[in-house]
Amino acid sequence: MLNGRGREYIPGVTTCPEAPKANTAWTRAHRAAMRRILCAILRNLKQMIATVADPDEDRHAVLPTEPLPLHHSWPLIAHECRLDLGRLFDGTGMGGGMSEAGPARTTRPQGVGQWYCDLADDGLNWSAEVYDLFGFPRGAMVSRTAAAARYGEASRAAMERLRAYAIRHRRGFTLDAEIVTAPGDRRWMRLVAAPIYEGRRAVALRGLKWDVSSVYA
């Protein structure tokens, strides 16, 4: 077999002079494609590195401006900031933490309530402000089912998803939820929650609730 230049070409034995040209074109295209893939991988790696570069970044971040997104999940390392009423409101350093036994009797801004949910039986422990927020008589026995029923459908679905995610992945969350009080009034409530663990087992949830209807007026 003769090639275009009159030189003998035996397939599988000798090399066709035209082949290097085709191979060179394919190699260039292949290298260009590989460069594009590598660039994409590097961009993704840079984004991942930027995300985990400072594990305390979320803890020290400025809290979101009003109004909050529908929901926001945050690492438990940030719980002191998220549950500290002084930081949350006016930066005066005023206390307002919650003991693991339930709502602590501490000085806190008016209208802000504390709550505790025992995951063993879903038993609720509320401060007076939470009863007022939902429109239930203070001190009444309120089941979690009855409390969840006061949430709007979309807000309840978001709350349940965040609650399950928080327990499973050791995260806290903030949720602006629309509720209907026992007397029938519609309100927007800000819910801040964080799980409590004994070893690797989540035993309770605790947090804050208060009226933010003015933000959504």
Side-chain angles (χ1 to χ4, degrees), residues 5-50:
R5 297 182 180 179
R7 301 175 64 181
E8 185 177 8
Y9 167 57
I10 303 174
V13 179
T14 59
T15 303
C16 179
E18 285 77 9
K21 295 182 179 179
N23 290 342
T24 300
W26 182 88
T27 302
R28 290 174 180 173
H30 179 69
R31 288 177 178 173
M34 289 299 296
R35 280 197 297 269
R36 289 193 295 269
I37 294 172
L38 288 174
C39 286
I41 293 173
L42 287 174
R43 283 195 299 270
N44 290 335
L45 286 174
K46 288 180 180 179
Q47 293 174 355
M48 294 173 61
I49 292 171

Short mmCIF file of all heavy atoms in Angstrom, two decimals, residues 5-50:
data_model
loop_
_atom_site.label_atom_id
_atom_site.label_comp_id
_atom_site.label_asym_id
_atom_site.label_seq_id
_atom_site.Cartn_x
_atom_site.Cartn_y
_atom_site.Cartn_z
N ARG A 5 2.43 10.11 -0.62
CA ARG A 5 3.75 10.56 -1.09
C ARG A 5 4.47 9.45 -1.87
O ARG A 5 5.65 9.57 -2.15
CB ARG A 5 4.61 11.01 0.10
CG ARG A 5 4.01 12.21 0.83
CD ARG A 5 4.91 12.64 1.97
NE ARG A 5 4.35 13.79 2.67
CZ ARG A 5 4.93 14.36 3.72
NH1 ARG A 5 6.08 13.87 4.18
NH2 ARG A 5 4.38 15.40 4.30
N GLY A 6 3.77 8.37 -2.14
CA GLY A 6 4.38 7.30 -2.92
C GLY A 6 5.24 6.37 -2.10
O GLY A 6 5.91 5.52 -2.65
N ARG A 7 5.21 6.52 -0.79
CA ARG A 7 6.02 5.66 0.06
C ARG A 7 5.14 4.53 0.58
O ARG A 7 3.95 4.69 0.82
CB ARG A 7 6.61 6.46 1.21
CG ARG A 7 7.49 7.61 0.70
CD ARG A 7 7.98 8.48 1.84
NE ARG A 7 8.85 7.72 2.76
CZ ARG A 7 9.40 8.25 3.83
NH1 ARG A 7 9.17 9.53 4.13
NH2 ARG A 7 10.19 7.53 4.59
N GLU A 8 5.77 3.37 0.71
CA GLU A 8 5.01 2.21 1.12
C GLU A 8 4.54 2.34 2.57
O GLU A 8 5.30 2.76 3.45
CB GLU A 8 5.86 0.94 0.96
CG GLU A 8 5.07 -0.34 1.27
CD GLU A 8 5.89 -1.58 1.03
OE1 GLU A 8 7.11 -1.43 0.77
OE2 GLU A 8 5.33 -2.68 1.12
N TYR A 9 3.26 1.97 2.79
CA TYR A 9 2.69 2.05 4.15
C TYR A 9 2.02 0.72 4.47
O TYR A 9 1.13 0.26 3.75
CB TYR A 9 1.66 3.17 4.22
CG TYR A 9 0.79 3.12 5.47
CD1 TYR A 9 1.37 3.13 6.73
CD2 TYR A 9 -0.59 3.02 5.35
CE1 TYR A 9 0.59 3.08 7.86
CE2 TYR A 9 -1.39 2.96 6.48
CZ TYR A 9 -0.80 2.99 7.73
OH TYR A 9 -1.57 2.94 8.85
N ILE A 10 2.52 0.04 5.49
CA ILE A 10 1.98 -1.25 5.90
C ILE A 10 1.23 -1.05 7.21
O ILE A 10 1.84 -0.72 8.23
CB ILE A 10 3.10 -2.29 6.09
CG1 ILE A 10 3.92 -2.43 4.81
CG2 ILE A 10 2.53 -3.63 6.52
CD1 ILE A 10 5.12 -3.33 4.96
N PRO A 11 -0.12 -1.18 7.18
CA PRO A 11 -0.91 -0.97 8.42
C PRO A 11 -0.41 -1.85 9.54
O PRO A 11 -0.17 -3.05 9.35
CB PRO A 11 -2.34 -1.35 7.98
CG PRO A 11 -2.35 -1.17 6.50
CD PRO A 11 -0.98 -1.54 6.05
N GLY A 12 -0.25 -1.24 10.71
CA GLY A 12 0.19 -1.99 11.89
C GLY A 12 1.68 -2.18 11.97
O GLY A 12 2.19 -2.68 12.96
N VAL A 13 2.40 -1.82 10.91
CA VAL A 13 3.86 -2.02 10.92
C VAL A 13 4.58 -0.70 10.79
O VAL A 13 5.40 -0.33 11.62
CB VAL A 13 4.29 -2.99 9.80
CG1 VAL A 13 5.81 -3.16 9.81
CG2 VAL A 13 3.58 -4.33 9.96
N THR A 14 4.27 0.02 9.72
CA THR A 14 4.90 1.32 9.54
C THR A 14 3.91 2.42 9.91
O THR A 14 2.69 2.20 9.97
CB THR A 14 5.35 1.50 8.09
OG1 THR A 14 4.21 1.38 7.24
CG2 THR A 14 6.38 0.46 7.70
N THR A 15 4.44 3.60 10.13
CA THR A 15 3.62 4.73 10.56
C THR A 15 3.24 5.59 9.38
O THR A 15 4.11 5.94 8.57
CB THR A 15 4.38 5.61 11.59
OG1 THR A 15 4.74 4.77 12.68
CG2 THR A 15 3.52 6.74 12.07
N CYS A 16 1.97 5.91 9.30
CA CYS A 16 1.51 6.79 8.22
C CYS A 16 1.93 8.22 8.52
O CYS A 16 1.69 8.71 9.63
CB CYS A 16 0.00 6.70 8.08
SG CYS A 16 -0.66 7.78 6.80
N PRO A 17 2.59 8.89 7.57
CA PRO A 17 3.05 10.26 7.84
C PRO A 17 1.91 11.21 8.17
O PRO A 17 2.11 12.21 8.84
CB PRO A 17 3.74 10.67 6.53
CG PRO A 17 4.10 9.38 5.88
CD PRO A 17 3.01 8.43 6.24
N GLU A 18 0.70 10.93 7.65
CA GLU A 18 -0.41 11.83 7.93
C GLU A 18 -0.93 11.67 9.35
O GLU A 18 -1.60 12.54 9.89
CB GLU A 18 -1.56 11.59 6.95
CG GLU A 18 -1.33 12.13 5.55
CD GLU A 18 -0.40 11.24 4.73
OE1 GLU A 18 -0.07 10.13 5.21
OE2 GLU A 18 0.01 11.65 3.64
N ALA A 19 -0.66 10.53 9.98
CA ALA A 19 -1.20 10.25 11.31
C ALA A 19 -0.76 11.26 12.36
O ALA A 19 -1.56 11.70 13.16
CB ALA A 19 -0.82 8.84 11.74
N PRO A 20 0.53 11.65 12.39
CA PRO A 20 0.93 12.61 13.42
C PRO A 20 0.14 13.89 13.37
O PRO A 20 -0.14 14.49 14.41
CB PRO A 20 2.41 12.85 13.10
CG PRO A 20 2.84 11.59 12.42
CD PRO A 20 1.66 11.18 11.61
N LYS A 21 -0.25 14.34 12.17
CA LYS A 21 -1.03 15.58 12.09
C LYS A 21 -2.37 15.40 12.79
O LYS A 21 -2.81 16.23 13.56
CB LYS A 21 -1.23 15.96 10.62
CG LYS A 21 0.04 16.31 9.89
CD LYS A 21 -0.26 16.73 8.47
CE LYS A 21 1.05 17.11 7.74
NZ LYS A 21 0.76 17.50 6.33
N ALA A 22 -3.05 14.26 12.51
CA ALA A 22 -4.34 14.02 13.14
C ALA A 22 -4.18 13.86 14.65
O ALA A 22 -4.96 14.38 15.45
CB ALA A 22 -4.99 12.77 12.54
N ASN A 23 -3.13 13.11 15.03
CA ASN A 23 -2.87 12.91 16.45
C ASN A 23 -2.58 14.22 17.16
O ASN A 23 -3.00 14.45 18.29
CB ASN A 23 -1.70 11.93 16.65
CG ASN A 23 -2.09 10.52 16.25
OD1 ASN A 23 -3.28 10.21 16.15
ND2 ASN A 23 -1.09 9.68 16.00
N THR A 24 -1.84 15.09 16.50
CA THR A 24 -1.51 16.38 17.10
C THR A 24 -2.76 17.21 17.31
O THR A 24 -2.94 17.84 18.37
CB THR A 24 -0.53 17.14 16.19
OG1 THR A 24 0.65 16.37 16.03
CG2 THR A 24 -0.19 18.49 16.79
N ALA A 25 -3.67 17.23 16.32
CA ALA A 25 -4.90 18.00 16.47
C ALA A 25 -5.74 17.44 17.60
O ALA A 25 -6.31 18.18 18.40
CB ALA A 25 -5.68 17.97 15.15
N TRP A 26 -5.82 16.10 17.68
CA TRP A 26 -6.60 15.49 18.76
C TRP A 26 -5.99 15.79 20.11
O TRP A 26 -6.69 16.08 21.08
CB TRP A 26 -6.65 13.98 18.54
CG TRP A 26 -7.48 13.27 19.58
CD1 TRP A 26 -8.81 13.03 19.56
CD2 TRP A 26 -7.00 12.73 20.82
NE1 TRP A 26 -9.22 12.37 20.68
CE2 TRP A 26 -8.12 12.17 21.49
CE3 TRP A 26 -5.74 12.67 21.43
CZ2 TRP A 26 -8.02 11.56 22.73
CZ3 TRP A 26 -5.64 12.05 22.68
CH2 TRP A 26 -6.77 11.50 23.31
N THR A 27 -4.64 15.75 20.19
CA THR A 27 -3.96 16.03 21.45
C THR A 27 -4.22 17.45 21.92
O THR A 27 -4.44 17.71 23.11
CB THR A 27 -2.45 15.80 21.29
OG1 THR A 27 -2.22 14.45 20.89
CG2 THR A 27 -1.72 16.08 22.61
N ARG A 28 -4.21 18.42 21.00
CA ARG A 28 -4.48 19.81 21.38
C ARG A 28 -5.89 19.97 21.93
O ARG A 28 -6.11 20.64 22.93
CB ARG A 28 -4.27 20.71 20.17
CG ARG A 28 -2.81 20.86 19.75
CD ARG A 28 -2.71 21.66 18.47
NE ARG A 28 -1.31 21.81 18.07
CZ ARG A 28 -0.93 22.33 16.92
NH1 ARG A 28 -1.85 22.76 16.04
NH2 ARG A 28 0.36 22.43 16.62
N ALA A 29 -6.85 19.35 21.24
CA ALA A 29 -8.24 19.43 21.71
C ALA A 29 -8.39 18.76 23.07
O ALA A 29 -9.09 19.26 23.96
CB ALA A 29 -9.18 18.78 20.69
N HIS A 30 -7.70 17.62 23.22
CA HIS A 30 -7.76 16.89 24.49
C HIS A 30 -7.15 17.74 25.61
O HIS A 30 -7.72 17.82 26.71
CB HIS A 30 -7.00 15.58 24.35
CG HIS A 30 -6.98 14.76 25.60
ND1 HIS A 30 -8.10 14.16 26.11
CD2 HIS A 30 -5.95 14.45 26.46
CE1 HIS A 30 -7.79 13.51 27.22
NE2 HIS A 30 -6.50 13.66 27.44
N ARG A 31 -6.03 18.37 25.35
CA ARG A 31 -5.38 19.20 26.38
C ARG A 31 -6.27 20.38 26.75
O ARG A 31 -6.37 20.77 27.92
CB ARG A 31 -4.03 19.69 25.87
CG ARG A 31 -2.96 18.59 25.82
CD ARG A 31 -1.67 19.11 25.25
NE ARG A 31 -0.63 18.09 25.24
CZ ARG A 31 0.56 18.24 24.68
NH1 ARG A 31 0.85 19.40 24.06
NH2 ARG A 31 1.45 17.27 24.72
N ALA A 32 -6.92 20.99 25.75
CA ALA A 32 -7.80 22.13 26.03
C ALA A 32 -8.97 21.70 26.91
O ALA A 32 -9.35 22.40 27.85
CB ALA A 32 -8.31 22.72 24.71
N ALA A 33 -9.54 20.52 26.60
CA ALA A 33 -10.64 20.02 27.42
C ALA A 33 -10.19 19.72 28.84
O ALA A 33 -10.89 20.03 29.81
CB ALA A 33 -11.23 18.75 26.77
N MET A 34 -9.01 19.13 28.97
CA MET A 34 -8.47 18.84 30.30
C MET A 34 -8.22 20.10 31.09
O MET A 34 -8.45 20.16 32.29
CB MET A 34 -7.18 18.02 30.17
CG MET A 34 -7.39 16.59 29.69
SD MET A 34 -8.43 15.64 30.82
CE MET A 34 -7.39 15.63 32.28
N ARG A 35 -7.73 21.15 30.39
CA ARG A 35 -7.49 22.42 31.08
C ARG A 35 -8.80 23.00 31.62
O ARG A 35 -8.85 23.51 32.74
CB ARG A 35 -6.82 23.42 30.13
CG ARG A 35 -5.31 23.21 29.98
CD ARG A 35 -4.66 24.45 29.38
NE ARG A 35 -5.15 24.71 28.02
CZ ARG A 35 -4.58 24.22 26.93
NH1 ARG A 35 -3.52 23.43 27.04
NH2 ARG A 35 -5.07 24.50 25.74
N ARG A 36 -9.87 22.91 30.81
CA ARG A 36 -11.17 23.41 31.27
C ARG A 36 -11.67 22.64 32.48
O ARG A 36 -12.19 23.21 33.44
CB ARG A 36 -12.18 23.34 30.13
CG ARG A 36 -11.94 24.35 29.01
CD ARG A 36 -13.14 24.45 28.08
NE ARG A 36 -13.38 23.20 27.36
CZ ARG A 36 -12.84 22.92 26.18
NH1 ARG A 36 -12.04 23.81 25.58
NH2 ARG A 36 -13.10 21.77 25.58
N ILE A 37 -11.49 21.32 32.44
CA ILE A 37 -11.93 20.49 33.58
C ILE A 37 -11.13 20.82 34.84
O ILE A 37 -11.68 20.97 35.93
CB ILE A 37 -11.79 19.00 33.23
CG1 ILE A 37 -12.77 18.63 32.10
CG2 ILE A 37 -12.03 18.12 34.46
CD1 ILE A 37 -12.58 17.24 31.56
N LEU A 38 -9.82 20.95 34.68
CA LEU A 38 -8.96 21.26 35.84
C LEU A 38 -9.29 22.63 36.41
O LEU A 38 -9.29 22.81 37.64
CB LEU A 38 -7.49 21.20 35.43
CG LEU A 38 -6.93 19.79 35.18
CD1 LEU A 38 -5.51 19.86 34.64
CD2 LEU A 38 -6.96 18.97 36.47
N CYS A 39 -9.57 23.60 35.54
CA CYS A 39 -9.94 24.94 36.02
C CYS A 39 -11.22 24.88 36.84
O CYS A 39 -11.34 25.53 37.88
CB CYS A 39 -10.10 25.90 34.85
SG CYS A 39 -8.53 26.40 34.09
N ALA A 40 -12.19 24.10 36.36
CA ALA A 40 -13.44 23.95 37.10
C ALA A 40 -13.22 23.30 38.45
O ALA A 40 -13.80 23.71 39.47
CB ALA A 40 -14.44 23.14 36.26
N ILE A 41 -12.36 22.27 38.47
CA ILE A 41 -12.05 21.59 39.73
C ILE A 41 -11.37 22.54 40.71
O ILE A 41 -11.68 22.58 41.90
CB ILE A 41 -11.16 20.36 39.48
CG1 ILE A 41 -11.95 19.29 38.70
CG2 ILE A 41 -10.64 19.78 40.79
CD1 ILE A 41 -11.12 18.10 38.27
N LEU A 42 -10.43 23.34 40.21
CA LEU A 42 -9.72 24.29 41.07
C LEU A 42 -10.67 25.34 41.63
O LEU A 42 -10.55 25.73 42.79
CB LEU A 42 -8.59 24.96 40.27
CG LEU A 42 -7.37 24.08 39.98
CD1 LEU A 42 -6.40 24.82 39.07
CD2 LEU A 42 -6.68 23.68 41.28
N ARG A 43 -11.62 25.81 40.81
CA ARG A 43 -12.59 26.78 41.31
C ARG A 43 -13.42 26.19 42.44
O ARG A 43 -13.65 26.84 43.47
CB ARG A 43 -13.51 27.25 40.18
CG ARG A 43 -12.87 28.25 39.22
CD ARG A 43 -13.92 28.94 38.37
NE ARG A 43 -14.65 27.99 37.54
CZ ARG A 43 -14.28 27.65 36.32
NH1 ARG A 43 -13.19 28.17 35.78
NH2 ARG A 43 -15.01 26.79 35.61
N ASN A 44 -13.84 24.94 42.26
CA ASN A 44 -14.63 24.29 43.31
C ASN A 44 -13.81 24.09 44.58
O ASN A 44 -14.31 24.26 45.69
CB ASN A 44 -15.15 22.94 42.81
CG ASN A 44 -16.21 23.09 41.74
OD1 ASN A 44 -16.88 24.11 41.68
ND2 ASN A 44 -16.37 22.08 40.90
N LEU A 45 -12.54 23.72 44.41
CA LEU A 45 -11.67 23.54 45.58
C LEU A 45 -11.47 24.84 46.33
O LEU A 45 -11.48 24.87 47.56
CB LEU A 45 -10.31 22.96 45.14
CG LEU A 45 -10.29 21.48 44.75
CD1 LEU A 45 -8.92 21.09 44.21
CD2 LEU A 45 -10.65 20.62 45.95
N LYS A 46 -11.29 25.94 45.59
CA LYS A 46 -11.13 27.24 46.24
C LYS A 46 -12.36 27.61 47.05
O LYS A 46 -12.27 28.13 48.16
CB LYS A 46 -10.84 28.31 45.19
CG LYS A 46 -9.44 28.23 44.59
CD LYS A 46 -9.23 29.32 43.55
CE LYS A 46 -7.83 29.24 42.94
NZ LYS A 46 -7.63 30.29 41.90
N GLN A 47 -13.55 27.32 46.50
CA GLN A 47 -14.78 27.61 47.22
C GLN A 47 -14.90 26.76 48.48
O GLN A 47 -15.30 27.24 49.54
CB GLN A 47 -15.99 27.37 46.31
CG GLN A 47 -16.08 28.35 45.15
CD GLN A 47 -17.21 28.00 44.20
OE1 GLN A 47 -17.87 26.98 44.34
NE2 GLN A 47 -17.43 28.86 43.21
N MET A 48 -14.51 25.48 48.37
CA MET A 48 -14.57 24.60 49.53
C MET A 48 -13.59 25.05 50.60
O MET A 48 -13.90 25.06 51.80
CB MET A 48 -14.27 23.16 49.11
CG MET A 48 -15.32 22.55 48.20
SD MET A 48 -14.83 20.92 47.58
CE MET A 48 -14.66 20.01 49.12
N ILE A 49 -12.37 25.43 50.18
CA ILE A 49 -11.36 25.88 51.15
C ILE A 49 -11.82 27.16 51.84
O ILE A 49 -11.65 27.34 53.04
CB ILE A 49 -10.01 26.10 50.44
CG1 ILE A 49 -9.44 24.75 49.98
CG2 ILE A 49 -9.02 26.81 51.36
CD1 ILE A 49 -8.22 24.88 49.09
N ALA A 50 -12.41 28.07 51.07
CA ALA A 50 -12.88 29.32 51.65
C ALA A 50 -13.98 29.06 52.67
O ALA A 50 -14.10 29.77 53.67
CB ALA A 50 -13.40 30.24 50.54
#
